[in-house]
Amino acid sequence: MPIKSIFNILFKVYGKQNWWPGETPFEIMVGAILTQNTSWNNVEKAIDNLVFHDCLDAEKIIRIHEDQLAVLLKPSGYFNLKTKRIKNYCRWYLDQGGYHCLAARDTGQLRIDLLSINGIGPETADDIMLYAFERPVFVIDAYTRRLFSRLGLVDGTASYEQIRKLFEGKLGEDVALYNEFHALIVRHAKLVCKKQPECHQCCLVKKCDYAIENAK
DNA sequence: ACCCAGGGTCATA
DNA sequence: TATGACCATGGG
């Protein structure tokens, strides 16, 4: 059962996801950092705080005091840590000349540069690569690992890079496909009942799992 | 009263 | 290289 078939099933069941849930590239970058090990619901509250205080902007984030920024980021959890990471990222972002300078950079180099920033790991970097810079980089998260190792399509112990290369090799360079696929994986995973994986209360999950089983 | 979330870093062995 | 501690809020 090819990886691409899973996409077709998920898309048929859930439809278009319209990711990333943020309008500007900068908002996407901030959201990618804030959502580290955190539910998107909490991240939205922090982003709303930034918007309300007119602080969703790299220069303003550089200027605002750490204590004050931490208050705005509080709902997203790990707020002291994320305050430093967001400030650190904005410092780098402005140093590099902002979006247009970065967008002119080669895809491989841009990813290496992002990964060199303290607080930006592989998944956060790839969220930014795919959704803010629209580069053909497949995002691997815990959901992707869980679902595809359960399906027997991925070795659960494989490294992040190994899994990413597997997906990119099978799917080909396709930004729109990567965008939709990762969003669908998250959408599906969120509807799975965590306490009882066998629970069939969520009809969408049931429908999707049924479709996947059938297609085997 | 638990459990976990769209991770990442740093200190150990 | 491979674990473990740590970061912290809000919803189920």
Side-chain angles (χ1 to χ4, degrees):
Chain A
M1 168 89 143
I3 287 177
K4 179 68 179 290
S5 304
I6 306 299
F7 170 80
N8 292 330
I9 292 166
L10 289 171
F11 189 80
K12 188 177 289 183
V13 173
Y14 298 110
K16 198 161 190 280
Q17 300 299 305
N18 299 307
W19 266 38
W20 182 283
E23 299 119 33
T24 67
F26 186 73
E27 180 176 344
I28 292 168
M29 300 180 220
V30 169
I33 295 171
L34 292 182
T35 199
Q36 291 170 351
N37 203 36
T38 301
S39 66
W40 184 254
N41 195 25
N42 284 7
V43 175
E44 275 186 321
K45 292 173 185 174
I47 291 180
D48 286 348
N49 285 343
L50 290 173
V51 171
F52 187 77
H53 290 84
D54 196 30
C55 284
L56 192 54
D57 174 271
E59 284 92 348
K60 286 171 182 167
I61 286 176
I62 293 292
R63 278 198 291 273
I64 189 173
H65 286 293
E66 285 203 6
D67 297 341
Q68 208 169 340
L69 182 57
V71 171
L72 300 182
L73 299 185
K74 196 162 195 170
S76 74
Y78 305 135
F79 51 84
N80 289 318
L81 184 61
K82 284 173 179 174
T83 293
K84 292 193 175 94
R85 288 186 180 173
I86 294 281
K87 268 190 168 283
N88 189 36
Y89 183 83
C90 289
R91 222 171 290 123
W92 173 85
Y93 181 76
L94 294 176
D95 267 359
Q96 303 297 310
Y99 188 82
H100 291 297
C101 288
L102 292 168
R105 211 162 288 184
D106 169 67
T107 292
Q109 188 58 51
L110 182 56
R111 185 168 190 271
I112 289 171
D113 293 340
L114 285 169
L115 287 172
S116 73
I117 304 166
N118 185 288
I120 307 294
E123 188 184 337
T124 308
D126 293 344
D127 278 335
I128 294 172
M129 289 296 287
L130 180 59
Y131 293 103
F133 289 101
E134 300 180 351
R135 304 304 176 93
V137 177
F138 201 93
V139 179
I140 307 299
D141 63 350
Y143 293 152
T144 310
R145 270 207 159 79
R146 191 200 303 165
L147 175 60
F148 287 88
S149 62
R150 179 170 70 85
L151 293 172
L153 297 173
V154 162
D155 172 10
T157 65
S159 71
Y160 184 99
E161 286 303 298
Q162 285 173 326
I163 301 178
R164 181 172 73 85
K165 287 299 181 188
L166 175 68
F167 273 80
E168 292 179 3
K170 297 287 186 191
L171 298 173
E173 287 194 0
D174 190 334
V175 172
L177 174 61
Y178 294 1
N179 178 321
E180 207 59 42
F181 205 164
H182 176 62
L184 284 166
I185 291 166
V186 173
R187 175 72 200 280
H188 179 66
K190 277 167 134 171
L191 293 176
V192 174
C193 178
K194 280 127 199 158
K195 291 184 178 175
Q196 304 168 0
E198 308 309 321
C199 158
H200 287 291
Q201 286 174 351
C202 320
C203 57
L204 280 178
V205 172
K206 185 180 176 184
K207 189 176 170 189
C208 189
D209 280 346
Y210 179 74
I212 291 172
E213 287 299 327
N214 246 3
K216 273 181 180 172

